[in-house]
Amino acid sequence: MEKNNGFCVSNLSSNLLITCFIALITTVLFRVLYVIYRTGKPLSKRASRQPLSTLIVLGSGGHTAEMINLLLVLQKDRFAPRFYIAAATDNMSLQKARVLENSLADSSGVKRVSAEFMQIYRSREVGQSYVTSVWTTLVAMAHALWLMIKIRPQVVLCNGPGTCIPLCVIAFFFKVVGIRWSSIFYVESIARVKRLSLSGLLLYKLWIADQFFVQWPQLQRKYPRAHYVGCLM
């Protein structure tokens, strides 16, 4: 009798654990679907009148040049404060961002620059083996998590560098768990004429980006959820 009672208790405990696990998975799944449904929806009228803390991801080479051109036409008062992030080995991009912010401050007569400049570890350097990149990717994700907890931006603006992927993934995770709702705006590089970059493809296919912009009409036809904005360069 005692053996049967112990067996019943064990079965009940196992069933309870399975039920709790299924309930947890179901809750997470519904939350993810809700976040995807809400993705791209306009902000509330109250939020749209207030300044939005903005994270700007810079990439080496043409990525930063395109981003600077994009920032020149943004409403600076609305997207503030601004946080610039570049790879740890990319000092040139941050220098260009500092020049931009100083010019904006001089033109507006404001002495204090409403911007911060940060660096993040790369997931993988050019030419790095895939075996060693596993460790560097984990380090980059941990660093990205720390930066996102520190900044907690309302807007994430990026245009293709691989550095943006861990930051955007964590921003999406924050939406799911309810830490912060960050709107992710992705602008595909003008160099991408016929197909998306790997970064763009990941953010598009996984429904991570709230708004996805391309600079060539054939890309918009191939990826119908993207918005064609013309050439920004």
Side-chain angles (χ1 to χ4, degrees):
M1 181 67 68
E2 291 181 358
K3 185 178 294 186
N4 288 337
N5 288 339
F7 180 74
C8 291
V9 171
S10 178
N11 275 345
L12 287 174
S13 300
S14 298
N15 291 337
L16 180 60
L17 287 174
I18 293 173
T19 301
C20 291
F21 179 75
I22 294 175
L24 177 62
I25 295 299
T26 303
T27 302
V28 171
L29 178 60
F30 274 104
R31 178 62 184 179
V32 169
L33 293 175
Y34 171 75
V35 169
I36 292 175
Y37 168 76
R38 280 284 312 277
T39 293
K41 297 292 189 300
L43 299 173
S44 64
K45 292 183 178 179
R46 181 180 179 183
S48 63
R49 292 194 299 264
Q50 299 175 347
L52 302 171
S53 59
T54 303
L55 171 61
I56 301 164
V57 186
L58 302 175
S60 58
H63 289 297
T64 294
E66 289 187 43
M67 182 61 73
I68 295 297
N69 284 342
L70 178 60
L71 294 174
L72 288 173
V73 299
L74 286 183
Q75 300 176 19
K76 310 304 182 299
D77 294 336
R78 184 180 181 189
F79 296 94
R82 292 177 290 281
F83 301 88
Y84 293 88
I85 288 186
T89 54
D90 183 11
N91 295 316
M92 185 63 70
S93 294
L94 288 182
Q95 182 60 33
K96 292 179 179 178
R98 288 189 178 94
V99 171
L100 171 66
E101 287 294 334
N102 288 332
S103 66
L104 295 176
D106 292 339
S107 62
S108 62
V110 178
K111 295 182 179 180
R112 181 178 178 274
V113 178
S114 180
E116 292 187 32
F117 308 91
M118 305 174 179
Q119 291 182 303
I120 185 174
Y121 292 114
R122 284 183 184 269
S123 298
R124 180 174 180 267
E125 295 287 351
V126 177
Q128 182 181 353
S129 68
Y130 288 102
V131 175
T132 58
S133 65
V134 173
W135 167 250
T136 55
T137 298
L138 293 175
V139 173
M141 288 295 294
H143 194 197
L145 177 61
W146 180 81
L147 288 173
M148 290 296 289
I149 292 175
K150 179 181 178 181
I151 300 172
R152 296 180 63 194
Q154 294 166 279
V155 174
V156 178
L157 184 60
C158 50
N159 68 336
T163 307
C164 74
I165 294 299
L167 295 167
C168 291
V169 169
I170 292 170
F172 185 83
F173 173 75
F174 280 2
K175 291 181 184 181
V176 173
V177 298
I179 294 176
R180 165 70 90 178
W181 192 280
S182 301
S183 297
I184 302 171
F185 295 88
Y186 182 88
V187 183
E188 185 58 278
S189 171
I190 193 173
R192 294 293 173 170
V193 179
K194 296 183 178 180
R195 57 183 180 181
L196 299 177
S197 62
L198 178 58
S199 298
L201 190 63
L202 288 173
L203 296 181
Y204 182 89
K205 291 294 186 180
L206 297 177
W207 294 73
I208 291 178
D210 289 79
Q211 296 291 339
F212 198 101
F213 303 97
V214 294
Q215 302 186 54
W216 295 97
Q218 56 268 35
L219 274 182
Q220 196 277 330
R221 290 192 292 268
K222 189 173 182 180
Y223 304 95
R225 284 192 287 109
H227 303 280
Y228 170 61
V229 292
C231 297
L232 300 176
M233 291 294 287

